[in-house]
Amino acid sequence: MTDKRIVRSRFSFRDLVAEAGVGMLARPGRTVLTVLGTVLGIAALVSTLGLAKTAGNQIVTRFDALAATSVTVENRAQGFSQPGTQQESHIPWDAEDRLIRLNGVVAAGTQSLVDTSNQLVKSVPINDPLGQSEYSIDVYAASPGLFNAIGATLTTGRFYDEGHNERQEPVAILGPGAARRLNVSRVDQQPAIFIGDTTLVVVGILNDTKREPVLLDAIIIPNNTARHLFNLQAPAEVQIRTEIGAAQLIGQQSAIALSPNDPSLLRVTVPPEPKAVKEQVASDVNTLFLVLGGVALLVGAIGIANVTLVSVLERVGEIGLRRAVGATRRHIAAQFLAESAAMGLIGGLIGASIGVLVIVAVSATRQWTPVLDPWVPLAAPLVGAATGLIAGLYPSWRAASLEPIDALRTGT
Amino acid sequence: MTQPRAVQSVPVVELEAVSRTYPGFPPVKAVRSTDLVVNEGDYVSVVGPSGSGKSTLLHLLGCLDRPTDGTYRLRGIDVGKLPDGKRTALRGREIGFVFQSFHLLSHRTVLDNVVTGMLYNRTPRRQRIPQATEALERVGLGHRMGFTPMKLSGGERQRVAVARAVAPGPSLLLCDEPTGNLDTATTDSLLDLFDELRADGLTLIVITHNEAVSLRADRRISIIDGVLAEVDT
Ligand SMILES: Nc1ncnc2c1ncn2[C@@H]1O[C@H](COP(=O)(O)OP(=O)(O)OP(=O)(O)O)[C@@H](O)[C@H]1O
Ligand SMILES: [Mg+2]
């Protein structure tokens, strides 16, 4: 027999996994304590990433440029108002002109529900006995600037302008809902609609509005036309679109501009403070938590390294024995590495689960929708295993470099 | 001279001026320049006072330790020159150890402990349990296979260690005080087991203080202060 014929020792992967598993399960209490650090670290990382994503998503939903630039001015309710009686309005007819002068206002316009004494609306002058051709449709009076202020777009035709308003022309814009019911789809033939006996010419049909969806089902006519035809007393409310960031300021100024004598008669609705500052804070907090998670993970790694090292020292005799029955240095190293990696993996699995639970719990209390990148819970156990693997490097090197004879003499 | 004959004629153990000195102040000469030949099928007992170097000799023979001087050939292979991996492989396949302090894994069952002896030497997985069971039955521990060593008596632990050593079927069995904790009856049954193993062609080197054990061997070697001497029987 020559040394060429010496058959190398072998430690199959399956045996390795089995030995590492039994090695861990033999001391369940110690294994639990060992993985605790990794559990905390991974849980902190996963929940931080998840909560950052969840909260970020929340801020995105809430932060809406449109809402942030919308200001509404109405009359403040004065005690009890009797139904049917029109409340006195403190909004002047020239509200649009007064507001547009303010620096920061992009567009403004008045909007008032017109009392037509519940007259039905139809698009043909004769009664059709076969089907319903008369409808109850809301009529609103609007100053020309309103369309821009609420971000209205047209399907067809045009908006009326200040000229129409001044001349009290009987023109109307139809909301798409109203147009469908009245069966008006084109305006090139100047179709007429009838509110009771009053004839109006349709000049445009709305496509959509960004605000005030009530107008989508309404008939919109110029202020002066409404005053002339339906005896509208005063504008009911004002819609203002501001530059981004100007809403707060315009909110304060608009009441004074509209009612210089007593601004308190008007109620101004402004969007909440922009979230930019909060967002900044949130991202700082995230960084802090990520750092804390990293530190916890580091502590976890040191914990695993420590316990593995202690376990190497405790098991010197076992190492000697394994070497005696044919385990090579590599096999010894592999076993301790596998044990520490397995502990890291378990820590990662538990930590990821806890992290996900934290995200769900926090989201539930805040009524947020929990959001988590799918790679986070998948990668977390791997990060844990990698942590364990790295933590096990030094102890397993120590184990592997023991001389079998020394190991057998020292260990019992 | 043909190859097979040459293989047969090669001694299992061949020490040429082997010595082992532990460094220190002063250095301990645990084994002094020693020549020894053990042939296949030999049954050798080693006797000597405590601290005379018996365990040191056993570790040298078992390739767990390297001689400070001299040449050790195991089945003709100069193991002093072998790299660590090959020595380990040779040890795992050819040699069974019964250590003075057993070295059982205290958290594993008796059966697991015996299986550990076959984990690295390419014993096929499905043969491990049957071989381990058989070895345990041969040492009379068939009823203790699920126990952990902590629950065993000293003599039972010793027999587990013997079972672990013989289960893989080594060609050389090295025992350090295998009967130290056994009563006469169990000692006798263990010696019967050794006789059986030897009949199967196993080479046995047994360190002992026990006269009865020493008498069952066909060669007796005494060691005093690291010096070996063959005792005529
Ligand atoms: N690592 C070491 N370093 C220094 N001296 C050692 C070492 N190992 C053993 N010795 C010494 O070598 C001598 C032989 O030791 P060994 O263990 O071989 O004795 P032994 O014959 O087996 O004794 P016992 O019968 O008590 O088991 C002893 O004097 C011991 O102190
Ligand atoms: Mg000894």
Side-chain angles (χ1 to χ4, degrees), chain B residues 116-151:
Chain B
T116 307
M118 294 175 274
L119 213 50
Y120 304 92
N121 61 7
R122 292 180 181 256
T123 310
R125 188 175 290 111
R126 74 198 117 72
Q127 284 177 25
R128 291 178 193 160
I129 304 248
Q131 277 179 234
T133 312
E134 196 208 322
L136 280 167
E137 271 158 7
R138 279 178 100 170
V139 298
L141 283 177
H143 60 303
R144 291 280 185 267
M145 295 201 292
F147 278 49
T148 54
M150 289 183 278
K151 291 187 195 157

Side-chain angles (χ1 to χ4, degrees), chain A residues 52-136:
Chain A
K53 185 91 180 167
T54 303
N57 193 53
Q58 212 56 31
I59 287 161
V60 168
T61 347
R62 277 204 207 155
F63 185 81
D64 175 352
L66 173 78
T69 58
S70 302
V71 176
T72 305
V73 185
E74 298 158 281
N75 288 298
R76 199 176 284 281
Q78 302 275 309
F80 295 99
S81 60
Q82 246 111 63
T85 63
Q86 223 181 357
Q87 228 189 353
E88 194 193 350
S89 176
H90 305 280
I91 297 173
W93 287 111
D94 62 347
E96 189 177 316
D97 292 337
R98 296 194 196 191
L99 290 171
I100 209 77
R101 272 185 240 123
L102 298 177
N103 200 4
V105 172
V106 174
T110 64
Q111 173 188 336
S112 326
L113 184 60
V114 176
D115 180 7
T116 60
S117 316
N118 296 327
Q119 296 183 83
L120 294 178
V121 183
K122 56 182 186 275
S123 53
V124 282
I126 44 147
N127 285 329
D128 178 1
L130 295 174
Q132 193 195 0
S133 56
E134 289 189 306
Y135 305 89
S136 167

